[in-house]
Amino acid sequence: MFKIYILTETDFILSNFDVAKASCGSVTWKTPSNIALVKYWGKQEPQLPENTSISFTLNNCCTITTLEYKLKSEVQNSESEFNFEVFFEGKKKDDFKPKIQKFFQRIAQYVPFLKDFDFVIKSENSFPHSSGIASSASGMSALALCLMSLEKKLNPTITNKYFNEKASFLARLGSGSACRSIEGELIVWGKHPEIEASSDLYGVKFPYKVHKNFNNYQDTILLVDEGVKQVSSTVGHNLMYNHPFAKQRFKQANNHISKIKEVLQNGDLKEFIAIVESEALSLHAMMMTSSPYFILMKPNTLKIIHKIWEFREATGSSICFTLDAGANVHVLFPEHEKEKANKFIVNELIQFCQEKHYICDSVGKGAFQLTMDN
Ligand code: PMV
């Protein structure tokens, strides 16, 4: 019988490589954001999820990152420090450095060549800066993929499967949900007894045939509150330690995974909506019942949710919503409802957005490499 091999941490340690294979050059990746249908909220060190999550990879909300690398001279190398500069949308960004420094420290044992190079990291987002859309997933996955391209130069024997799994593994150590931003279209992260080959260490493609109802599923993101997140996800995840409802929440999420596994195969949109909306509200319920507690929804978030419910009731549409850890609303609907849903969104929902800003997106196929030269 065909045996599925699930990788462990030690499989990701690069031991056989030759730095002389890449003296200088650059690589560019374009990587997408993702929206969770069943949410990850709560983790253990080192960035291991308390429950399984599943997400749609997006198509238009992306980060483009170029990694320039130059082998250090032997004298420089003896200092043995990470050396990198960061630019975001053309401007030097020293305030991004501590997060990347921490990321490099976390992944150094798996990519031991990090201290052999000087790096320049240049990033930009396809979505407006300060739109309130989390860029950590696409940003960290982009950087992880750039590093994997460099690893492949140093060790060309690695397979595409390993390349993607290790990119996801590294991205996870930067930002948990980033591990779901390597491939498309549906990615599962977190070991689950009913999802074959699932792992806490990296994301895997949903391994079953998906019903056509979910082909090219649409996600219109309504920007209710643009700006920096009120509560960082690090703080949010930490509040799940000692949370009175944490255990129940992790159980609920894992049950939702069992259910959504069936729904994604049988195309039951009613059940899909029930799971996805319950997940969004459960995530926010966790925030409202933590200590300290907080509310990330804004009055306009609730107005949009009620409008969606009224519209669904009146028209029989399969439109629904989900939320991230913020006030913005992701409006999800099947492709065949695109025209009807867009009209409804423009006529009735964008009045609740900041400056009527919104982004039309849909499910995407994952990251791709734009350039690699030396
Ligand atoms: O990847 P993090 O640590 O920023 O956590 C993201 C958590 C949510 O976006 C709220 C849910 C999820 O599964 O993406």
Side-chain angles (χ1 to χ4, degrees):
M1 214 179 93
F2 176 63
K3 190 171 178 309
I4 294 168
Y5 187 62
I6 300 173
L7 299 173
T8 62
E9 261 124 347
T10 48
D11 292 314
F12 293 117
I13 300 173
L14 173 66
S15 50
N16 176 22
F17 66 101
D18 176 6
V19 282
K21 283 200 163 113
S23 54
C24 71
S26 74
V27 55
T28 304
W29 275 89
K30 182 176 179 183
T31 60
S33 187
N34 68 73
I35 180 67
L37 303 170
V38 174
K39 311 287 180 182
Y40 145 65
W41 198 242
K43 63 180 173 184
Q44 304 239 342
E45 277 300 316
Q47 211 94 287
L48 298 167
E50 289 278 14
N51 63 263
T52 308
S53 58
I54 184 166
S55 53
F56 274 142
T57 302
L58 295 180
N59 194 41
N60 299 332
C61 290
C62 292
T63 297
I64 297 177
T65 296
T66 297
L67 178 74
E68 295 172 3
Y69 54 89
K70 189 167 175 274
L71 199 57
K72 288 179 186 171
S73 67
E74 259 170 51
V75 182
Q76 285 171 309
N77 205 13
S78 61
E79 291 166 20
S80 217
E81 281 302 322
F82 303 122
N83 188 27
F84 62 95
E85 293 298 339
V86 188
F87 291 82
F88 182 68
E89 292 175 353
K91 294 200 183 87
K92 198 155 181 269
K93 275 283 189 187
D94 285 344
D95 48 330
F96 284 11
K97 285 180 90 173
K99 199 166 181 195
I100 295 174
Q101 172 80 20
K102 198 170 158 206
F103 176 53
F104 280 180
Q105 277 161 354
R106 284 190 139 179
I107 64 171
Q109 59 172 311
Y110 306 105
V111 276
F113 55 82
L114 278 184
K115 287 183 177 167
D116 295 328
F117 290 91
D118 292 324
F119 294 112
V120 178
I121 301 160
K122 294 177 177 166
S123 251
E124 58 189 72
N125 290 338
S126 69
F127 43 90
H129 184 48
S130 82
S131 61
I133 297 183
S135 56
S136 60
S138 51
M140 282 299 174
S141 60
L143 188 50
L145 282 159
C146 288
L147 291 171
M148 282 310 295
S149 291
L150 180 53
E151 172 165 331
K152 195 167 167 73
K153 277 206 126 188
L154 308 181
N155 175 18
T157 61
I158 59 178
T159 63
N160 284 345
K161 186 170 182 291
Y162 179 82
F163 184 101
N164 283 336
E165 285 171 344
K166 183 163 175 186
S168 175
F169 173 86
L170 296 178
R172 184 197 103 237
L173 291 167
S175 167
S177 60
C179 78
R180 301 188 312 240
S181 273
I182 305 292
E183 295 182 272
E185 301 172 351
L186 276 159
I187 303 295
V188 180
W189 170 39
K191 196 168 169 40
H192 193 283
E194 291 163 46
I195 308 276
E196 245 170 295
S198 55
S199 167
D200 283 348
L201 300 180
Y202 51 92
V204 297
K205 274 162 103 85
F206 179 71
Y208 310 102
K209 191 168 163 34
V210 177
H211 192 278
K212 63 175 176 14
N213 281 352
F214 300 105
N215 286 354
N216 203 20
Y217 222 70
Q218 304 290 302
D219 178 9
T220 297
I221 307 161
L222 303 180
L223 305 176
V224 172
D225 186 27
E226 303 189 36
V228 182
K229 275 205 232 169
Q230 208 181 310
V231 178
S232 77
S233 52
T234 311
V235 171
H237 287 291
N238 284 342
L239 292 175
M240 289 301 279
Y241 295 114
N242 304 323
H243 191 295
F245 309 130
K247 262 210 178 109
Q248 275 306 114
R249 162 61 199 152
F250 303 142
K251 204 168 153 199
Q252 177 200 37
N254 286 330
N255 286 340
H256 278 158
I257 290 284
S258 303
K259 287 190 179 155
I260 209 165
K261 173 190 166 185
E262 299 309 317
V263 164
L264 290 168
Q265 294 174 88
N266 67 26
D268 183 344
L269 289 172
K270 272 211 169 76
E271 190 57 24
F272 177 79
I273 292 168
I275 297 167
V276 168
E277 292 190 344
S278 163
E279 273 293 314
L281 295 178
S282 295
L283 171 71
H284 281 255
M286 288 299 108
M287 301 178 198
M288 289 188 222
T289 49
S290 58
S291 174
Y293 46 78
F294 45 94
I295 302 180
L296 294 187
M297 287 189 269
K298 297 278 179 194
N300 281 352
T301 311
L302 290 178
K303 284 188 184 141
I304 291 169
I305 291 174
H306 283 286
K307 281 270 177 199
I308 289 173
W309 284 344
E310 280 165 24
F311 182 74
R312 205 162 67 215
E313 180 72 31
T315 65
S317 156
S318 294
I319 200 164
C320 73
F321 72 88
T322 188
L323 306 166
D324 251 337
N328 296 335
V329 182
H330 288 248
V331 185
L332 302 175
F333 49 92
E335 192 184 23
H336 72 264
E337 287 195 20
K338 200 169 166 178
E339 210 179 311
K340 196 166 75 171
N342 279 340
K343 247 190 217 149
F344 163 63
I345 289 167
V346 171
N347 292 341
E348 299 204 39
L349 300 186
I350 63 168
Q351 57 174 314
F352 302 115
C353 298
Q354 210 169 321
E355 293 177 46
K356 298 193 170 172
H357 285 169
Y358 66 105
I359 299 170
C360 293
D361 212 335
S362 56
V363 172
K365 302 227 178 285
F368 62 96
Q369 188 174 310
L370 296 180
T371 62
M372 173 106 203
D373 38 69
N374 36 29

